[in-house]
Amino acid sequence: MIKSIFLVSCVGKKQPYACKAMDLYVSDWFKKASQYARLNADEWYILSAKYILVQPMDTIEPYDLTLTKMNIALRREWADKVMLQLHPHLTPGNKITFLAGKTYREFLQPALLQRGYSVNVPMNGFRIGEQLGWLKSRLNGG
């Protein structure tokens, strides 16, 4: 079955205690992006700098780690791990939508395209305020 899969990046603002991944990240951006993913995807996952690929209902601990502070070799290794964890969820023809910044996509997007998956980055090049506006307009039926 062809599925629409959304990948939502983690954010720095988190609850100070272990909880479901979908509830751990508390920024306005994450709340809107995850709501948009829930409404539009067949499946969605969180791209976590620490836990790699996380299912929204998985319980995880808060952490202080971001890809933007990792060197290129560590980011490439992280992307390889995401691909390994994502692979069992993929079937030919799947459409992958990134709600994630450039650093989270830099090695994942080419790897997915190389394997023949359709990739969509609806907020490519948008600044954070533009992303929030884009998400808000789509969540409010506009």
Side-chain angles (χ1 to χ4, degrees):
M1 178 179 106
I2 295 175
K3 299 180 283 193
S4 173
I5 297 174
F6 279 47
L7 301 175
V8 180
S9 65
C10 65
V11 296
K13 193 172 181 184
K14 300 172 187 72
Q15 298 284 8
Y17 50 84
C19 58
K20 290 178 185 155
M22 63 188 283
D23 298 324
L24 180 70
Y25 307 98
V26 295
S27 76
D28 191 36
W29 182 90
F30 183 84
K31 288 177 182 179
K32 285 179 173 49
S34 61
Q35 181 182 1
Y36 182 75
R38 282 193 302 276
L39 293 171
N40 292 283
D42 295 313
E43 295 175 14
W44 72 283
Y45 302 94
I46 299 164
L47 297 172
S48 164
K50 179 174 182 176
Y51 297 107
I52 318 298
L53 186 74
V54 181
Q55 297 201 28
M57 298 299 283
D58 288 351
T59 297
I60 58 175
E61 296 276 343
Y63 59 94
D64 185 21
L65 185 66
T66 177
L67 287 188
T68 58
K69 297 223 177 3
M70 291 182 189
N71 67 39
I72 195 165
L74 289 174
R75 293 194 313 268
R76 193 181 307 270
E77 183 180 314
W78 175 87
D80 290 345
K81 289 177 183 177
V82 172
M83 288 301 296
L84 283 173
Q85 291 182 2
L86 188 58
H87 183 74
H89 303 282
L90 298 175
T91 54
N94 284 161
K95 182 177 182 180
I96 314 300
T97 297
F98 280 97
L99 301 179
K102 183 176 152 186
T103 308
Y104 283 78
R105 300 188 319 261
E106 69 181 326
F107 300 113
L108 287 177
Q109 189 172 348
L112 288 162
L113 289 169
Q114 184 180 27
R115 288 166 177 80
Y117 297 103
S118 170
V119 174
N120 180 33
V121 187
M123 298 184 289
N124 190 27
F126 288 16
R127 294 181 182 148
I128 191 70
E130 294 168 322
Q131 292 178 33
L132 284 167
W134 188 91
L135 288 164
K136 186 177 178 182
S137 71
R138 277 139 188 92
L139 292 171
N140 293 333

